Amino acid sequence: MRRRTFLIAAVGALGTSVLAACTPQPRPTRSPSPTPSPTATTQPPASAVPQPASMLRSRWSVDPFALGAASFAAVGATSASRDDLAAAVDDRVFFAGEATSRDAPGTVSGAIDSGSRAADEVISASDGSERIGVIGAGVAGLTAARALLDAGYDVVVVEARDRVGGRIDARTGGSWPLTVDLGPTMIADGDEALHSAVVAAGGDVVSFGRADEVRTAAGTAVAVSGVGAAAVADAVEWSSQQPHDVPLSFAIGQSEAGALSTTPDEAGVSDADWLSHQLDSVVQPRTSATDERLSAWNGGATTPGDGVGGAIPLAGFGTLADELADGVDVLLRSVVTRVVTRNDKVSLRLRTGESLTVDRVIVTLPLGVLKSGSVVFEPELPLPKARAVSILGMGDSDRVWLRFDEPFWSTDATVWSTIAAGSPVGLWVNLLPDTGYPVLVGTVAAAEAARLAAIDDDATVLAELLASLEPFLDEAKRADAEGTGTATPTPTPSDAQSG
């Protein structure tokens, strides 16, 4: 057993402050010269990639009812932190949501399971004659509400948005030939329970045929190297021998991973580039966190996968949310500002000045909202729960959907990534082979997600996205563009839409 197993319980407030003082180590420098990232006032040159017919993107970090996409294990956080977050307070205030899931945080399945758990806890602590409030109409809240209704309880769900689903945000209609889900987009390999639930809710599901392709900035396809994954594993192993948890970036800088060669090979790619590729295209899309914030001990940096699943729900996960909400009393556009527990009752105070009294409540607020303090609890949350809210991280991850009139690419690969500095997109999923539609779905994660979400101008963001796709431009189309000296004009804001 590793030494850290014995030390986790001993890391308290003092240990956490020591960890925060660790200076993150920079990644090894990539061999290509980085291109400065465009800002809201600086657009990249016009791209040879054609302008899409439609664009939709999420911006979870600036969404006031999410303030982030998914939770992650920041430095000092453990599975026990999630248990503390999930723990009920005096059998009156219960907690659910993906951040409370020990086994599957950051996933639809984790949220569903947490809702079932919270409902079971309420049932064990009460009887079926009580009125139960649920804050949040995401799948965690709706799952809990559905279970309690089936058990004979009077249930009311209070939702701040004008729709159900929470971070499931399925869009239909317009020029889109399939549903655009701006939250989770795929079902993980082997998740039969979620697959069955989506199908039972009336959603069509197609298998996703995964085929990866990595290209350089010049458009050269290169064989995937295991150097990056091995380097991350070395850093995690190094961290396991240390007395305190540290950021993954610090572990990389102190371990053998920090000494990777920056000398490029014939394709212009170095070992250090492969490490950056592993972080940008695998670790960050899966965890929604930068290596500067991710726990080296418990952040899951070496967990297999990048978040791309094995099946595509063509109607998104919206059908599942709608099915769960059917028959449930949901108060939309109702923002809770205070949760007050007194005399065996819980009062939910709304922004409108109104209040709602229930016997018990299940809180499914996203971790980002709990961190913001926009919802006040009276009495204050117990110290272990407050510490869990503080120490767990809320990560950033956004989806961008681009629909083209015809493909500008010739590859049949379905998962694209680039080993090039300056690309804001960790990976692209090509839906053409499995759906027949020339649609690309990009995952923008961690710092890049936060940066792009802060840009209101969709045209600026779209220009960056198109530039990141240039390595996959069909050679004939590239030659035509270079021969005529033309490129796609900078799009106007009306050409794109934000989620």
Side-chain angles (χ1 to χ4, degrees), residues 11 91 139 190 209 249 349 378 387 420 429 455 472:
V11 178
D91 280 341
V139 291
S249 60
R349 310 289 174 81
E378 297 180 16
R387 184 174 185 275
V429 170
I455 300 176
F472 294 91

Side-chain angles (χ1 to χ4, degrees), residues 46-83:
S47 172
V49 175
Q51 184 175 327
S54 302
M55 167 186 164
L56 280 170
R57 65 174 174 130
S58 65
R59 301 171 66 189
W60 293 117
S61 63
V62 297
D63 182 323
F65 306 129
L67 298 178
S71 64
F72 68 91
V75 179
T78 69
S79 293
S81 303
R82 298 190 185 278
D83 293 342

Side-chain angles (χ1 to χ4, degrees), residues 220-244:
T220 303
V222 293
V224 177
S225 167
V227 168
V232 171
D234 286 344
V236 171
E237 176 61 28
W238 176 88
S239 74
S240 71
Q241 308 302 318
Q242 308 311 308
H244 299 295

Side-chain angles (χ1 to χ4, degrees), residues 355-437:
S355 64
L356 183 69
T357 300
V358 295
D359 293 294
R360 304 174 202 272
V361 66
I362 298 177
V363 178
T364 70
L365 294 167
L367 178 63
V369 175
L370 290 174
K371 283 178 168 292
S372 74
S374 59
V375 178
V376 176
F377 291 84
E378 297 180 16
E380 294 182 352
L381 295 176
L383 183 58
K385 188 178 295 292
R387 184 174 185 275
V389 170
S390 175
I391 202 168
L392 286 168
M394 189 62 170
D396 299 315
S397 181
D398 283 312
R399 298 284 186 265
V400 55
W401 289 65
L402 302 179
R403 181 183 70 80
F404 295 87
D405 289 327
E406 60 181 26
F408 62 81
W409 59 91
S410 56
T411 179
D412 290 327
T414 53
V415 179
W416 305 349
S417 60
T418 54
I419 188 160
S423 176
V425 182
L427 54 86
W428 289 96
V429 170
N430 170 23
L431 295 184
L432 180 61
D434 292 308
T435 68
Y437 301 118

Side-chain angles (χ1 to χ4, degrees), residues 265-332:
D265 59 16
E266 294 180 355
V269 181
S270 71
D271 287 348
D273 293 333
W274 282 115
L275 171 56
S276 291
H277 178 268
Q278 180 72 13
L279 295 170
D280 295 341
S281 300
V282 179
V283 176
Q284 289 185 1
R286 186 181 65 246
T287 65
S288 303
T290 64
D291 46 305
E292 288 86 6
R293 298 182 63 197
L294 193 67
S295 163
W297 280 359
N298 304 301
T302 58
T303 302
D306 50 15
V308 176
I312 308 168
L314 294 181
F317 290 97
T319 56
L320 176 60
D322 291 340
E323 176 74 9
L324 289 170
D326 186 33
V328 177
D329 182 13
V330 181
L331 304 180
L332 299 175

